[in-house]
Amino acid sequence: MGEHKFWATQPVPQLGDAPPLGDGYIEASKPREEVRQEPYPLPKDFQWSTIDLNDPNQLKEVYELLSSNYVEDDHASFRFQYSAEFLHWALMPPGHHREWHVGVRVASNKKLVAFIAGIPMTLRVRENVFHASEINYLCVHKKLRSKRLAPVLIKEVTRQCHLKGVFQAIYTAGVLLPTPVSTCRYYHRLLNVPKLVDIGFTYIPRNMTLARMIRLNKLPTVPDLSRNNAGLREMEEGDVKQVLSLYTRYMQRFKMVPVMTESDVRHQFLSGMGKGQRPPGVWKGRREQQVVWTYVVEDPRTNRITDFFSFYTLPSTVIGNLKYNTVEIAYLYYYATEVAFSSGAEEDGRLKTRLQELISDALIIADQAGFDVFNCLTLMDNNQFLEEFKFGRGDGLLHYYLYNWRTAPLAGVEAIGGDPVGRGSHIHALELNSNFTICSRLIFVYK
Ligand SMILES: CCCCCCCCCCCCCC(=O)SCCNC(=O)CCNC(=O)[C@H](O)C(C)(C)COP(=O)(O)OP(=O)(O)OC[C@H]1O[C@@H](n2cnc3c(N)ncnc32)[C@H](O)[C@@H]1OP(=O)(O)O
Protein backbone atom coordinates (compact mmCIF):
# COMPACT_ATOMS: atom_id res chain seq x y z
CA MET A 1 0.00 0.00 0.00
CA GLY A 2 3.01 2.29 0.23
CA GLU A 3 3.41 5.22 2.55
CA HIS A 4 0.48 7.33 3.71
CA LYS A 5 1.83 10.70 4.70
CA PHE A 6 -1.56 12.02 5.69
CA TRP A 7 -3.31 8.92 7.00
CA ALA A 8 -0.29 8.08 9.18
CA THR A 9 -1.13 11.21 11.20
CA GLN A 10 -4.81 10.37 11.73
CA PRO A 11 -6.55 8.41 14.51
CA VAL A 12 -7.25 5.35 12.39
CA PRO A 13 -5.81 1.86 12.77
CA GLN A 14 -2.48 1.85 10.95
CA LEU A 15 -1.40 -0.86 8.57
CA GLY A 16 0.13 -3.74 10.37
CA ASP A 17 -1.47 -2.89 13.73
CA ALA A 18 -2.59 -5.99 15.56
CA PRO A 19 -6.39 -6.39 15.69
CA PRO A 20 -7.65 -4.54 18.78
CA LEU A 21 -8.49 -6.52 21.87
CA GLY A 22 -11.41 -4.30 22.82
CA ASP A 23 -13.57 -1.67 21.11
CA GLY A 24 -13.20 2.05 21.77
CA TYR A 25 -11.93 5.41 20.63
CA ILE A 26 -8.33 6.00 19.56
CA GLU A 27 -8.12 9.66 20.65
CA ALA A 28 -10.19 11.09 23.49
CA SER A 29 -12.84 13.73 22.69
CA LYS A 30 -11.95 17.36 23.48
CA PRO A 31 -14.02 20.12 25.02
CA ARG A 32 -15.14 22.71 22.45
CA GLU A 33 -12.66 25.35 23.64
CA GLU A 34 -9.76 23.04 22.89
CA VAL A 35 -10.87 22.47 19.32
CA ARG A 36 -8.98 24.56 16.75
CA GLN A 37 -11.12 27.65 16.18
CA GLU A 38 -9.81 28.89 12.84
CA PRO A 39 -10.14 27.06 9.50
CA TYR A 40 -7.09 25.24 8.13
CA PRO A 41 -5.09 27.32 5.67
CA LEU A 42 -5.76 26.69 1.99
CA PRO A 43 -3.25 27.24 -0.81
CA LYS A 44 -3.19 30.84 -2.01
CA ASP A 45 -5.97 31.67 -4.53
CA PHE A 46 -8.53 29.40 -2.81
CA GLN A 47 -11.08 30.07 -0.08
CA TRP A 48 -13.45 28.08 2.11
CA SER A 49 -17.16 28.27 1.41
CA THR A 50 -19.93 26.74 3.49
CA ILE A 51 -22.48 25.45 1.00
CA ASP A 52 -26.16 26.18 1.58
CA LEU A 53 -27.92 23.29 -0.11
CA ASN A 54 -31.28 24.98 0.37
CA ASP A 55 -30.14 27.52 -2.18
CA PRO A 56 -30.90 25.93 -5.58
CA ASN A 57 -27.90 27.71 -7.16
CA GLN A 58 -25.44 26.28 -4.65
CA LEU A 59 -27.04 22.85 -4.87
CA LYS A 60 -26.57 23.07 -8.63
CA GLU A 61 -22.90 24.01 -8.18
CA VAL A 62 -22.27 20.87 -6.12
CA TYR A 63 -24.24 18.81 -8.59
CA GLU A 64 -22.16 20.19 -11.48
CA LEU A 65 -18.83 19.68 -9.70
CA LEU A 66 -19.71 16.05 -8.95
CA SER A 67 -21.22 15.38 -12.38
CA SER A 68 -17.91 16.16 -14.08
CA ASN A 69 -15.37 15.17 -11.45
CA TYR A 70 -16.72 12.49 -9.12
CA VAL A 71 -16.08 8.74 -8.98
CA GLU A 72 -15.46 6.88 -12.25
CA ASP A 73 -14.87 3.21 -12.86
CA ASP A 74 -11.35 1.97 -13.63
CA HIS A 75 -11.93 2.13 -17.37
CA ALA A 76 -13.36 5.68 -17.26
CA SER A 77 -16.57 4.39 -18.89
CA PHE A 78 -19.07 5.34 -16.17
CA ARG A 79 -19.31 8.18 -13.67
CA PHE A 80 -21.82 8.61 -10.85
CA GLN A 81 -24.40 11.21 -11.74
CA TYR A 82 -26.06 12.41 -8.59
CA SER A 83 -29.19 14.47 -9.23
CA ALA A 84 -29.84 17.68 -7.32
CA GLU A 85 -32.82 15.90 -5.66
CA PHE A 86 -30.56 13.05 -4.63
CA LEU A 87 -28.01 15.37 -3.01
CA HIS A 88 -30.73 17.28 -1.22
CA TRP A 89 -32.08 14.03 0.17
CA ALA A 90 -28.71 12.49 1.04
CA LEU A 91 -27.11 15.58 2.60
CA MET A 92 -30.02 17.06 4.52
CA PRO A 93 -31.27 14.41 6.94
CA PRO A 94 -32.79 15.46 10.28
CA GLY A 95 -30.26 17.37 12.39
CA HIS A 96 -27.84 18.07 9.51
CA HIS A 97 -25.38 20.94 9.93
CA ARG A 98 -24.76 23.47 7.21
CA GLU A 99 -21.14 23.78 8.40
CA TRP A 100 -20.52 20.15 7.47
CA HIS A 101 -21.12 20.90 3.78
CA VAL A 102 -17.65 22.18 3.08
CA GLY A 103 -16.70 23.74 -0.25
CA VAL A 104 -13.55 25.29 -1.70
CA ARG A 105 -13.80 28.10 -4.25
CA VAL A 106 -11.30 29.86 -6.48
CA ALA A 107 -10.89 33.22 -4.74
CA SER A 108 -10.93 35.29 -7.94
CA ASN A 109 -14.04 33.94 -9.73
CA LYS A 110 -15.71 31.99 -6.87
CA LYS A 111 -15.91 28.80 -8.90
CA LEU A 112 -16.58 25.75 -6.71
CA VAL A 113 -13.65 23.38 -7.20
CA ALA A 114 -13.73 21.01 -4.23
CA PHE A 115 -16.25 19.61 -1.78
CA ILE A 116 -16.65 17.24 1.17
CA ALA A 117 -19.77 16.57 3.21
CA GLY A 118 -20.70 15.10 6.54
CA ILE A 119 -24.09 14.21 7.96
CA PRO A 120 -24.85 13.35 11.57
CA MET A 121 -25.90 9.87 12.52
CA THR A 122 -26.08 7.49 15.42
CA LEU A 123 -24.02 4.40 14.81
CA ARG A 124 -23.95 1.07 16.58
CA VAL A 125 -20.75 -0.93 16.23
CA ARG A 126 -21.16 -4.23 17.99
CA GLU A 127 -22.54 -3.25 21.41
CA ASN A 128 -21.42 0.41 21.41
CA VAL A 129 -23.79 3.16 20.26
CA PHE A 130 -22.35 6.62 19.56
CA HIS A 131 -22.83 9.82 17.57
CA ALA A 132 -20.80 9.93 14.41
CA SER A 133 -20.62 11.70 11.10
CA GLU A 134 -20.98 9.95 7.78
CA ILE A 135 -18.46 11.49 5.39
CA ASN A 136 -19.03 11.35 1.65
CA TYR A 137 -18.77 13.28 -1.64
CA LEU A 138 -15.10 14.16 -1.26
CA CYS A 139 -14.30 15.65 -4.64
CA VAL A 140 -11.46 17.75 -6.05
CA HIS A 141 -11.74 19.19 -9.55
CA LYS A 142 -9.77 17.12 -12.07
CA LYS A 143 -7.43 20.03 -12.78
CA LEU A 144 -6.44 20.31 -9.10
CA ARG A 145 -5.60 16.70 -8.35
CA SER A 146 -2.47 15.47 -6.55
CA LYS A 147 -1.89 18.82 -4.84
CA ARG A 148 -2.70 17.52 -1.34
CA LEU A 149 -6.03 19.37 -1.25
CA ALA A 150 -7.92 16.26 -0.10
CA PRO A 151 -6.14 16.09 3.29
CA VAL A 152 -6.99 19.76 3.93
CA LEU A 153 -10.66 19.12 3.15
CA ILE A 154 -10.67 16.10 5.44
CA LYS A 155 -9.04 18.05 8.26
CA GLU A 156 -11.48 20.91 7.88
CA VAL A 157 -14.58 18.70 7.93
CA THR A 158 -13.07 16.91 10.95
CA ARG A 159 -12.67 20.27 12.71
CA GLN A 160 -16.28 21.13 11.93
CA CYS A 161 -17.41 17.81 13.39
CA HIS A 162 -15.29 18.40 16.50
CA LEU A 163 -16.90 21.83 16.93
CA LYS A 164 -20.27 20.03 17.15
CA GLY A 165 -18.92 17.53 19.64
CA VAL A 166 -18.64 14.62 17.20
CA PHE A 167 -15.35 12.70 17.29
CA GLN A 168 -16.12 9.53 15.33
CA ALA A 169 -16.93 9.05 11.63
CA ILE A 170 -17.74 6.39 9.08
CA TYR A 171 -16.93 6.54 5.37
CA THR A 172 -16.49 4.28 2.38
CA ALA A 173 -14.10 4.38 -0.54
CA GLY A 174 -13.12 2.27 -3.50
CA VAL A 175 -9.47 2.95 -2.73
CA LEU A 176 -7.60 1.00 -0.10
CA LEU A 177 -6.52 3.23 2.80
CA PRO A 178 -5.45 2.50 6.39
CA THR A 179 -7.46 0.44 7.39
CA PRO A 180 -10.86 -0.98 6.34
CA VAL A 181 -13.14 -2.35 9.02
CA SER A 182 -14.82 -4.36 6.26
CA THR A 183 -14.92 -4.78 2.51
CA CYS A 184 -17.91 -5.55 0.31
CA ARG A 185 -18.32 -6.38 -3.33
CA TYR A 186 -20.90 -5.02 -5.72
CA TYR A 187 -23.29 -7.39 -7.44
CA HIS A 188 -25.45 -6.44 -10.41
CA ARG A 189 -28.76 -7.81 -11.69
CA LEU A 190 -29.11 -6.98 -15.39
CA LEU A 191 -32.54 -5.64 -16.33
CA ASN A 192 -32.18 -3.94 -19.72
CA VAL A 193 -29.78 -6.41 -21.31
CA PRO A 194 -29.47 -4.91 -24.84
CA LYS A 195 -28.62 -1.48 -23.45
CA LEU A 196 -26.13 -2.86 -20.92
CA VAL A 197 -24.38 -4.74 -23.71
CA ASP A 198 -24.43 -1.64 -25.94
CA ILE A 199 -22.74 0.55 -23.35
CA GLY A 200 -20.17 -2.05 -22.38
CA PHE A 201 -21.52 -2.59 -18.85
CA THR A 202 -21.58 -6.26 -19.69
CA TYR A 203 -20.96 -8.38 -22.77
CA ILE A 204 -22.31 -11.47 -24.47
CA PRO A 205 -20.15 -14.44 -23.51
CA ARG A 206 -18.93 -16.76 -26.23
CA ASN A 207 -21.44 -19.54 -25.67
CA MET A 208 -24.41 -17.15 -25.39
CA THR A 209 -26.61 -15.09 -27.72
CA LEU A 210 -28.20 -11.74 -26.98
CA ALA A 211 -31.67 -13.27 -27.38
CA ARG A 212 -30.86 -15.98 -24.86
CA MET A 213 -29.40 -13.49 -22.43
CA ILE A 214 -32.56 -11.39 -22.65
CA ARG A 215 -34.70 -14.46 -22.06
CA LEU A 216 -32.63 -15.58 -19.07
CA ASN A 217 -32.98 -12.19 -17.43
CA LYS A 218 -36.66 -11.62 -18.19
CA LEU A 219 -38.84 -10.79 -15.20
CA PRO A 220 -42.60 -10.93 -14.65
CA THR A 221 -44.45 -7.61 -14.97
CA VAL A 222 -46.51 -7.68 -11.78
CA PRO A 223 -45.03 -8.08 -8.27
CA ASP A 224 -46.08 -11.34 -6.68
CA LEU A 225 -46.96 -9.88 -3.30
CA SER A 226 -49.45 -7.55 -4.96
CA ARG A 227 -51.55 -10.48 -6.15
CA ASN A 228 -54.30 -12.19 -4.19
CA ASN A 229 -54.54 -9.45 -1.63
CA ALA A 230 -51.04 -10.19 -0.32
CA GLY A 231 -50.61 -6.60 0.80
CA LEU A 232 -47.70 -5.01 -1.11
CA ARG A 233 -48.00 -1.24 -1.49
CA GLU A 234 -45.91 1.91 -1.35
CA MET A 235 -44.92 3.08 2.11
CA GLU A 236 -46.91 6.01 3.52
CA GLU A 237 -46.56 8.45 6.41
CA GLY A 238 -48.81 6.29 8.60
CA ASP A 239 -46.33 3.39 8.35
CA VAL A 240 -43.37 5.23 9.89
CA LYS A 241 -43.75 3.83 13.44
CA GLN A 242 -44.14 0.25 12.32
CA VAL A 243 -41.30 0.48 9.80
CA LEU A 244 -39.03 1.89 12.49
CA SER A 245 -39.89 -0.97 14.82
CA LEU A 246 -39.30 -3.55 12.08
CA TYR A 247 -36.04 -1.89 11.01
CA THR A 248 -34.72 -1.67 14.57
CA ARG A 249 -35.49 -5.28 15.40
CA TYR A 250 -34.19 -6.64 12.11
CA MET A 251 -30.92 -4.70 12.37
CA GLN A 252 -30.15 -6.54 15.61
CA ARG A 253 -28.98 -9.29 13.28
CA PHE A 254 -25.97 -7.19 12.24
CA LYS A 255 -22.91 -5.74 13.90
CA MET A 256 -22.59 -2.29 12.37
CA VAL A 257 -25.78 -0.35 11.76
CA PRO A 258 -27.20 3.14 11.73
CA VAL A 259 -29.59 3.63 14.65
CA MET A 260 -32.68 5.43 13.40
CA THR A 261 -35.43 7.48 14.97
CA GLU A 262 -38.91 8.10 13.57
CA SER A 263 -37.74 11.24 11.83
CA ASP A 264 -34.79 9.37 10.30
CA VAL A 265 -37.15 6.72 8.94
CA ARG A 266 -39.45 9.40 7.55
CA HIS A 267 -36.51 11.10 5.87
CA GLN A 268 -34.72 8.00 4.58
CA PHE A 269 -37.75 6.19 3.24
CA LEU A 270 -40.35 8.85 2.41
CA SER A 271 -38.80 12.24 1.75
CA GLY A 272 -37.18 11.12 -1.48
CA MET A 273 -40.40 9.64 -2.87
CA GLY A 274 -40.80 12.44 -5.41
CA LYS A 275 -43.80 14.32 -6.63
CA GLY A 276 -47.24 13.08 -7.56
CA GLN A 277 -49.16 9.94 -6.80
CA ARG A 278 -48.94 6.62 -8.51
CA PRO A 279 -52.34 4.97 -8.36
CA PRO A 280 -52.38 1.80 -6.24
CA GLY A 281 -51.69 -1.27 -8.32
CA VAL A 282 -49.84 0.62 -11.05
CA TRP A 283 -46.29 -0.69 -11.24
CA LYS A 284 -45.16 0.95 -14.41
CA GLY A 285 -43.33 4.26 -14.62
CA ARG A 286 -41.90 6.52 -11.98
CA ARG A 287 -42.70 9.72 -10.22
CA GLU A 288 -41.08 12.99 -11.03
CA GLN A 289 -37.87 13.56 -9.02
CA GLN A 290 -38.16 10.27 -7.19
CA VAL A 291 -34.95 9.23 -5.41
CA VAL A 292 -36.03 6.53 -2.97
CA TRP A 293 -38.57 3.75 -3.45
CA THR A 294 -40.02 2.13 -0.36
CA TYR A 295 -42.62 -0.63 -0.26
CA VAL A 296 -44.32 -2.30 2.67
CA VAL A 297 -46.36 -5.45 3.00
CA GLU A 298 -49.46 -4.89 5.09
CA ASP A 299 -51.12 -8.02 6.38
CA PRO A 300 -54.73 -7.59 5.16
CA ARG A 301 -56.13 -9.40 8.21
CA THR A 302 -54.30 -7.55 10.94
CA ASN A 303 -53.23 -4.36 9.11
CA ARG A 304 -49.77 -4.87 10.53
CA ILE A 305 -46.71 -4.07 8.44
CA THR A 306 -44.89 -7.37 8.19
CA ASP A 307 -42.12 -6.45 5.75
CA PHE A 308 -40.54 -3.58 3.90
CA PHE A 309 -37.88 -3.03 1.27
CA SER A 310 -36.40 0.00 -0.40
CA PHE A 311 -34.02 1.00 -3.14
CA TYR A 312 -32.75 4.30 -4.45
CA THR A 313 -31.94 5.77 -7.85
CA LEU A 314 -28.45 6.78 -8.81
CA PRO A 315 -27.79 7.01 -12.53
CA SER A 316 -24.30 6.99 -13.96
CA THR A 317 -23.09 8.96 -16.95
CA VAL A 318 -22.00 6.74 -19.81
CA ILE A 319 -18.81 8.42 -20.91
CA GLY A 320 -18.32 8.77 -24.65
CA ASN A 321 -21.24 6.65 -25.88
CA LEU A 322 -23.12 8.05 -28.86
CA LYS A 323 -26.40 6.28 -28.20
CA TYR A 324 -26.83 6.62 -24.43
CA ASN A 325 -25.94 9.38 -21.97
CA THR A 326 -26.87 7.59 -18.78
CA VAL A 327 -27.40 4.18 -17.30
CA GLU A 328 -30.31 4.07 -14.83
CA ILE A 329 -29.27 2.19 -11.72
CA ALA A 330 -31.33 1.13 -8.72
CA TYR A 331 -29.40 0.37 -5.51
CA LEU A 332 -30.87 -1.93 -2.92
CA TYR A 333 -31.25 -0.02 0.35
CA TYR A 334 -32.74 -1.37 3.59
CA TYR A 335 -35.25 -4.18 4.08
CA ALA A 336 -36.69 -6.18 6.96
CA THR A 337 -39.20 -8.90 7.58
CA GLU A 338 -41.14 -10.18 10.59
CA VAL A 339 -40.37 -13.72 9.45
CA ALA A 340 -36.89 -13.28 10.94
CA PHE A 341 -38.43 -13.26 14.42
CA SER A 342 -40.45 -16.41 14.15
CA SER A 343 -38.63 -19.25 15.78
CA GLY A 344 -36.65 -21.59 13.55
CA ALA A 345 -37.33 -19.49 10.43
CA GLU A 346 -33.69 -19.10 9.62
CA GLU A 347 -32.89 -22.79 10.03
CA ASP A 348 -35.85 -24.13 8.07
CA GLY A 349 -35.43 -21.72 5.16
CA ARG A 350 -38.55 -19.61 5.73
CA LEU A 351 -36.47 -16.46 6.14
CA LYS A 352 -34.63 -17.11 2.90
CA THR A 353 -37.90 -17.74 1.06
CA ARG A 354 -39.43 -14.54 2.37
CA LEU A 355 -36.38 -12.45 1.49
CA GLN A 356 -36.50 -13.88 -1.99
CA GLU A 357 -40.18 -12.94 -2.32
CA LEU A 358 -39.41 -9.38 -1.30
CA ILE A 359 -36.34 -8.88 -3.45
CA SER A 360 -37.97 -10.52 -6.43
CA ASP A 361 -40.71 -7.89 -6.21
CA ALA A 362 -38.12 -5.11 -5.82
CA LEU A 363 -36.54 -6.30 -9.08
CA ILE A 364 -39.90 -6.38 -10.84
CA ILE A 365 -40.77 -2.87 -9.68
CA ALA A 366 -37.37 -1.54 -10.73
CA ASP A 367 -37.71 -3.23 -14.10
CA GLN A 368 -41.19 -1.82 -14.64
CA ALA A 369 -39.91 1.63 -13.70
CA GLY A 370 -37.35 1.51 -16.48
CA PHE A 371 -34.13 0.88 -14.54
CA ASP A 372 -31.35 -0.76 -16.52
CA VAL A 373 -29.61 -2.58 -13.68
CA PHE A 374 -30.19 -3.34 -9.98
CA ASN A 375 -27.13 -3.20 -7.72
CA CYS A 376 -26.45 -4.47 -4.27
CA LEU A 377 -23.50 -5.16 -2.01
CA THR A 378 -22.42 -8.27 -0.14
CA LEU A 379 -23.94 -7.21 3.15
CA MET A 380 -27.03 -7.67 5.30
CA ASP A 381 -28.75 -10.89 4.20
CA ASN A 382 -28.01 -10.36 0.52
CA ASN A 383 -26.30 -13.73 0.21
CA GLN A 384 -29.79 -15.26 0.51
CA PHE A 385 -30.81 -14.19 -2.98
CA LEU A 386 -27.78 -13.19 -5.10
CA GLU A 387 -27.40 -16.51 -6.79
CA GLU A 388 -31.07 -17.37 -7.26
CA PHE A 389 -31.81 -14.01 -8.81
CA LYS A 390 -28.92 -14.04 -11.26
CA PHE A 391 -26.97 -11.20 -9.72
CA GLY A 392 -23.53 -11.07 -11.36
CA ARG A 393 -20.36 -10.40 -9.47
CA GLY A 394 -19.07 -6.91 -10.19
CA ASP A 395 -15.44 -5.95 -10.27
CA GLY A 396 -15.94 -3.13 -7.76
CA LEU A 397 -15.08 -3.41 -4.09
CA LEU A 398 -16.23 -0.99 -1.45
CA HIS A 399 -14.10 -0.57 1.67
CA TYR A 400 -15.71 0.62 4.90
CA TYR A 401 -13.74 2.75 7.35
CA LEU A 402 -14.21 4.04 10.87
CA TYR A 403 -12.47 7.21 12.03
CA ASN A 404 -11.29 7.27 15.64
CA TRP A 405 -12.92 3.96 16.53
CA ARG A 406 -11.22 0.63 17.01
CA THR A 407 -13.01 -2.65 16.51
CA ALA A 408 -12.03 -6.02 15.12
CA PRO A 409 -12.72 -6.45 11.38
CA LEU A 410 -16.30 -7.30 10.38
CA ALA A 411 -17.21 -9.90 7.80
CA GLY A 412 -18.01 -8.38 4.42
CA VAL A 413 -17.32 -10.26 1.22
CA GLU A 414 -16.62 -13.39 3.21
CA ALA A 415 -20.24 -13.41 4.31
CA ILE A 416 -21.18 -14.62 0.85
CA GLY A 417 -20.75 -18.34 1.04
CA GLY A 418 -17.01 -18.16 1.44
CA ASP A 419 -16.16 -18.08 -2.26
CA PRO A 420 -17.53 -15.02 -4.04
CA VAL A 421 -15.44 -15.58 -7.14
CA GLY A 422 -16.73 -19.06 -7.78
CA ARG A 423 -20.28 -18.20 -6.96
CA GLY A 424 -20.15 -15.01 -8.94
CA SER A 425 -18.95 -16.62 -12.10
CA HIS A 426 -21.40 -19.44 -11.61
CA ILE A 427 -24.25 -16.97 -11.28
CA HIS A 428 -23.78 -15.39 -14.63
CA ALA A 429 -20.94 -17.09 -16.35
CA LEU A 430 -19.90 -13.67 -17.53
CA GLU A 431 -17.73 -10.86 -16.35
CA LEU A 432 -19.38 -7.57 -15.55
CA ASN A 433 -17.55 -4.39 -16.27
CA SER A 434 -18.71 -2.16 -13.52
CA ASN A 435 -16.28 -0.85 -11.06
CA PHE A 436 -18.70 1.36 -9.18
CA THR A 437 -16.52 2.03 -6.29
CA ILE A 438 -18.57 3.92 -3.78
CA CYS A 439 -22.02 3.79 -2.52
CA SER A 440 -23.87 7.08 -2.43
CA ARG A 441 -25.60 6.44 0.84
CA LEU A 442 -23.81 4.06 3.08
CA ILE A 443 -25.39 0.78 3.88
CA PHE A 444 -23.21 -0.65 6.52
CA VAL A 445 -24.62 -3.65 8.14
CA TYR A 446 -22.75 -6.84 8.59
CA LYS A 447 -23.34 -10.08 10.27
C1 LIG B 1 -14.65 13.08 13.59
C2 LIG B 1 -15.02 13.39 12.24
C3 LIG B 1 -14.01 12.90 11.17
C4 LIG B 1 -14.43 13.23 9.75
C5 LIG B 1 -13.42 12.78 8.73
C6 LIG B 1 -13.33 11.28 8.58
C7 LIG B 1 -12.41 10.89 7.43
C8 LIG B 1 -13.05 11.10 6.10
C9 LIG B 1 -12.11 10.67 4.99
C10 LIG B 1 -12.67 11.00 3.62
C11 LIG B 1 -13.74 10.03 3.18
C12 LIG B 1 -14.21 10.30 1.80
C13 LIG B 1 -15.26 9.35 1.33
C14 LIG B 1 -15.49 9.62 -0.15
O1 LIG B 1 -16.07 10.59 -0.51
S1 LIG B 1 -14.85 8.46 -1.26
C15 LIG B 1 -15.03 9.24 -2.82
C16 LIG B 1 -13.82 9.97 -3.17
N1 LIG B 1 -13.99 10.77 -4.35
C17 LIG B 1 -13.62 10.40 -5.56
O2 LIG B 1 -13.06 9.34 -5.77
C18 LIG B 1 -13.92 11.40 -6.65
C19 LIG B 1 -12.84 11.51 -7.68
N2 LIG B 1 -11.56 11.77 -7.05
C20 LIG B 1 -11.20 12.96 -6.49
O3 LIG B 1 -11.96 13.91 -6.47
C21 LIG B 1 -9.81 13.05 -5.87
O4 LIG B 1 -8.99 12.05 -6.44
C22 LIG B 1 -9.82 12.89 -4.32
C23 LIG B 1 -10.54 14.08 -3.70
C24 LIG B 1 -10.49 11.59 -3.89
C25 LIG B 1 -8.38 12.87 -3.79
O5 LIG B 1 -7.72 13.99 -4.22
P1 LIG B 1 -6.32 13.91 -4.99
O6 LIG B 1 -6.36 12.71 -5.84
O7 LIG B 1 -6.06 15.22 -5.63
O8 LIG B 1 -5.25 13.61 -3.81
P2 LIG B 1 -4.51 14.69 -2.88
O9 LIG B 1 -3.14 14.96 -3.42
O10 LIG B 1 -5.35 15.89 -2.65
O11 LIG B 1 -4.40 13.91 -1.49
C26 LIG B 1 -3.79 12.67 -1.42
C27 LIG B 1 -4.13 12.05 -0.07
O12 LIG B 1 -5.55 11.84 -0.01
C28 LIG B 1 -5.80 10.46 0.26
N3 LIG B 1 -7.04 10.04 -0.42
C29 LIG B 1 -7.23 9.89 -1.74
N4 LIG B 1 -8.49 9.49 -1.98
C30 LIG B 1 -9.08 9.38 -0.79
C31 LIG B 1 -10.37 8.99 -0.39
N5 LIG B 1 -11.30 8.62 -1.27
N6 LIG B 1 -10.67 9.01 0.91
C32 LIG B 1 -9.74 9.39 1.82
N7 LIG B 1 -8.50 9.75 1.51
C33 LIG B 1 -8.18 9.74 0.20
C34 LIG B 1 -4.60 9.75 -0.29
O13 LIG B 1 -4.50 8.46 0.28
C35 LIG B 1 -3.50 10.69 0.10
O14 LIG B 1 -3.21 10.54 1.50
P3 LIG B 1 -1.93 9.66 1.95
O15 LIG B 1 -2.11 8.31 1.33
O16 LIG B 1 -0.72 10.36 1.42
O17 LIG B 1 -1.97 9.60 3.43
Side-chain angles (χ1 to χ4, degrees):
M1 264 209 262
E3 200 192 341
H4 289 284
K5 256 169 97 181
F6 169 66
W7 282 109
T9 65
Q10 298 298 299
V12 294
Q14 298 298 319
L15 301 171
D17 281 4
L21 294 174
D23 289 18
Y25 58 76
I26 297 169
E27 262 175 25
S29 309
K30 289 187 224 165
R32 197 175 193 279
E33 2 12 301
E34 283 176 31
V35 176
R36 182 189 165 107
Q37 298 296 312
E38 55 300 325
Y40 283 92
L42 276 170
K44 166 168 123 2
D45 304 331
F46 297 99
Q47 59 184 216
W48 293 112
S49 169
T50 301
I51 306 293
D52 178 1
L53 295 170
N54 276 322
D55 171 357
N57 291 326
Q58 296 186 48
L59 182 61
K60 187 155 171 261
E61 286 182 290
V62 175
Y63 160 73
E64 281 172 356
L65 174 72
L66 297 181
S67 296
S68 308
N69 299 280
Y70 202 53
V71 182
E72 294 175 5
D73 68 317
D74 277 353
H75 318 275
S77 311
F78 305 104
R79 188 189 308 122
F80 282 148
Q81 196 192 13
Y82 292 98
S83 64
E85 294 78 31
F86 189 104
L87 292 169
H88 198 273
W89 172 70
L91 291 178
M92 303 186 80
H96 67 269
H97 307 292
R98 207 164 85 97
E99 297 81 356
W100 292 9
H101 302 153
V102 178
V104 172
R105 294 182 186 278
V106 176
S108 57
N109 60 11
K110 307 291 180 251
K111 184 179 159 70
L112 183 70
V113 288
F115 184 70
I116 190 167
I119 54 170
M121 65 171 318
T122 305
L123 184 63
R124 175 172 63 77
V125 181
R126 298 197 156 96
E127 67 281 7
N128 291 289
V129 176
F130 49 86
H131 292 295
S133 56
E134 179 187 321
I135 305 292
N136 210 340
Y137 309 101
L138 167 61
C139 185
V140 168
H141 193 285
K142 284 187 169 175
K143 293 210 168 119
L144 297 171
R145 297 273 168 91
S146 305
K147 296 182 190 303
R148 312 297 301 180
L149 258 182
V152 190
L153 283 156
I154 295 169
K155 283 195 285 186
E156 182 57 17
V157 82
T158 302
R159 188 180 77 85
Q160 294 292 353
C161 292
H162 287 176
L163 286 170
K164 300 275 185 223
V166 172
F167 290 83
Q168 271 70 40
I170 180 161
Y171 50 103
T172 62
V175 291
L176 191 55
L177 305 162
T179 302
V181 61
S182 193
T183 297
C184 286
R185 181 175 289 285
Y186 276 109
Y187 273 72
H188 313 276
R189 173 54 161 88
L190 311 183
L191 300 175
N192 185 349
V193 175
K195 176 171 171 183
L196 294 173
V197 170
D198 257 9
I199 61 176
F201 187 94
T202 188
Y203 68 91
I204 310 169
R206 244 181 312 157
N207 54 356
M208 179 71 79
T209 62
L210 178 63
R212 189 153 160 251
M213 237 168 118
I214 294 173
R215 206 168 53 244
L216 281 177
N217 285 287
K218 202 163 170 45
L219 289 164
T221 53
V222 179
D224 231 36
L225 295 168
S226 70
R227 298 173 203 272
N228 307 324
N229 208 14
L232 183 76
R233 61 166 172 79
E234 276 191 288
M235 180 179 167
E236 295 161 3
E237 171 64 37
D239 305 322
V240 167
K241 272 196 165 61
Q242 288 195 68
V243 168
L244 173 63
S245 155
L246 200 49
Y247 170 88
T248 306
R249 287 177 293 133
Y250 197 78
M251 292 301 142
Q252 292 301 327
R253 299 170 58 74
F254 310 110
K255 294 204 172 87
M256 189 159 82
V257 292
V259 177
M260 292 211 212
T261 62
E262 265 183 42
S263 42
D264 293 324
V265 163
R266 190 172 291 112
H267 179 85
Q268 296 303 334
F269 299 129
L270 289 176
S271 76
M273 283 282 233
K275 287 188 188 157
Q277 276 299 319
R278 191 181 301 109
V282 172
W283 304 103
K284 222 169 168 58
R286 54 174 94 180
R287 288 198 184 109
E288 206 187 329
Q289 298 170 356
Q290 181 161 7
V291 177
V292 71
W293 305 59
T294 312
Y295 290 81
V296 295
V297 180
E298 178 181 333
D299 183 329
R301 288 161 305 152
T302 60
N303 294 111
R304 280 189 63 213
I305 304 297
T306 54
D307 319 76
F308 85 93
F309 61 79
S310 59
F311 57 89
Y312 60 80
T313 319
L314 172 54
S316 272
T317 304
V318 183
I319 302 169
N321 189 286
L322 296 176
K323 198 161 158 197
Y324 297 104
N325 294 326
T326 54
V327 51
E328 299 294 327
I329 309 182
Y331 288 76
L332 183 59
Y333 204 28
Y334 295 100
Y335 53 80
T337 173
E338 282 289 344
V339 172
F341 317 121
S342 85
S343 90
E346 191 149 9
E347 296 69 32
D348 66 18
R350 270 177 297 144
L351 176 59
K352 182 173 179 148
T353 306
R354 187 56 173 177
L355 289 171
Q356 292 193 354
E357 285 168 354
L358 296 170
I359 303 307
S360 160
D361 280 357
L363 290 172
I364 293 169
I365 293 167
D367 189 37
Q368 288 299 306
F371 286 96
D372 299 318
V373 59
F374 194 99
N375 285 0
C376 73
L377 285 155
T378 51
L379 42 66
M380 291 200 283
D381 284 310
N382 295 359
N383 57 339
Q384 304 285 338
F385 51 77
L386 288 177
E387 187 170 356
E388 287 79 356
F389 291 158
K390 305 191 180 79
F391 277 81
R393 177 182 186 270
D395 56 12
L397 289 176
L398 188 67
H399 303 291
Y400 285 72
Y401 301 94
L402 289 171
Y403 186 93
N404 197 16
W405 192 262
R406 247 190 253 283
T407 193
L410 296 162
V413 169
E414 296 76 10
I416 303 294
D419 181 13
V421 183
R423 285 171 59 102
S425 43
H426 171 66
I427 291 168
H428 251 198
L430 51 84
E431 275 291 318
L432 292 166
N433 168 19
S434 56
N435 191 10
F436 289 101
T437 46
I438 181 167
C439 176
S440 51
R441 279 276 320 167
L442 305 171
I443 319 172
F444 26 80
V445 273
Y446 302 100
K447 283 195 162 185

